[in-house]
Amino acid sequence: SFQLISLTLELHFLGMYAPGLFGSSVLILKSPYLASFLGLLIFSAAAALLASGQYLYNFAVGMCLCGLAWNLTFSAATVLLTTTYLPEEALRLQAINDGFILTFAGLGSFASGYIYVSHSWNYLIFIVSGLMVLCAFGLFLWRILAYFLSSHSFKRISMNQLSQDQDDEEAAVAVQDDNNVVSPMTRQHSCNNDNFSS
């Protein structure tokens, strides 16, 4: 009925936006990768629940979980995006990102409608689940790559800093040696002063 459909959509929108009022933004800002991973897990739970039956609780709880997962993954991706550009590039890259989001969201809506009509509901769930597995695998590979790149950069910075410290130390020693050098004229003048004093 219309009331049950409205309830399902209300729960979906509640899952999308209500978590931001209860601390999910703190988790996203502190650890966006963890938030993305939790979002993928919740998406998987929602897909399993939606594929297990077509009763009211399947749709209501499944769509609510889907909204919660969207909140975590979308917000985490937005936070991560802000770390990839300079301040003067923000407007241009944010516009490009929004364009990609709207484009793929529209394509996803049309594609899901076509798959549902031409095949079945479960077939659509299986395709979405496969895409989530690919996203999880990509996130895992990206974290490994980021770890190795950051580790390599840290080692390179450490080596450069060590080399710079050695250069500074050698320069300081050279300056000290220059200050300790006494010219023959200065040495003769010092000896004459000593003889005069005696």
Side-chain angles (χ1 to χ4, degrees):
S1 65
F2 178 77
Q3 289 78 11
L4 296 179
I5 295 174
S6 299
L7 175 63
T8 302
L9 292 177
E10 289 170 1
L11 290 174
H12 177 61
F13 293 134
L14 185 68
M16 290 176 66
Y17 300 109
L21 303 175
F22 299 101
S24 68
S25 57
V26 176
L27 171 64
I28 293 167
L29 290 174
K30 293 294 183 181
S31 181
Y33 286 106
L34 177 60
S36 298
F37 184 72
L38 290 176
L40 285 173
L41 291 180
I42 297 173
F43 264 132
S44 301
L49 187 60
L50 290 169
S52 62
Q54 297 188 14
Y55 298 99
L56 175 62
Y57 74 88
N58 293 102
F59 288 105
V61 179
M63 293 303 293
C64 183
L65 291 177
C66 185
L68 175 59
W70 176 88
N71 177 277
L72 292 173
T73 54
F74 183 82
S75 301
T78 302
V79 171
L80 289 173
L81 179 66
T82 60
T83 64
T84 62
Y85 53 74
L86 299 174
E88 58 270 19
E89 301 172 334
L91 293 178
R92 181 169 58 88
L93 289 180
Q94 285 285 356
I96 293 174
N97 179 68
D98 291 341
F100 274 111
I101 291 174
L102 292 176
T103 300
F104 284 100
L107 292 176
S109 298
F110 285 113
S112 61
Y114 172 78
I115 293 171
Y116 174 73
V117 172
S118 60
H119 293 83
S120 65
W121 172 255
N122 287 338
Y123 191 83
L124 174 62
I125 298 298
F126 292 148
I127 291 179
V128 174
S129 299
L131 292 175
M132 286 190 296
V133 170
L134 290 177
C135 290
F137 185 68
L139 179 62
F140 179 71
L141 289 181
W142 178 256
R143 287 300 295 154
I144 293 177
L145 180 62
Y147 173 78
F148 282 111
L149 289 177
S150 62
S151 177
H152 178 70
S153 298
F154 177 76
K155 291 180 180 178
R156 183 172 56 189
I157 292 173
S158 300
M159 292 300 294
N160 291 338
Q161 184 64 37
L162 179 60
S163 177
Q164 182 65 35
D165 292 341
Q166 290 176 347
D167 293 341
D168 293 341
E169 184 178 354
E170 292 175 358
V173 171
V175 171
Q176 185 176 3
D177 292 340
D178 291 340
N179 292 333
N180 292 332
V181 172
V182 180
S183 65
M185 293 296 295
T186 304
R187 188 181 296 112
Q188 180 65 33
H189 180 71
S190 178
C191 292
N192 293 336
N193 289 336
D194 293 339
N195 293 332
F196 180 78
S197 297
S198 59

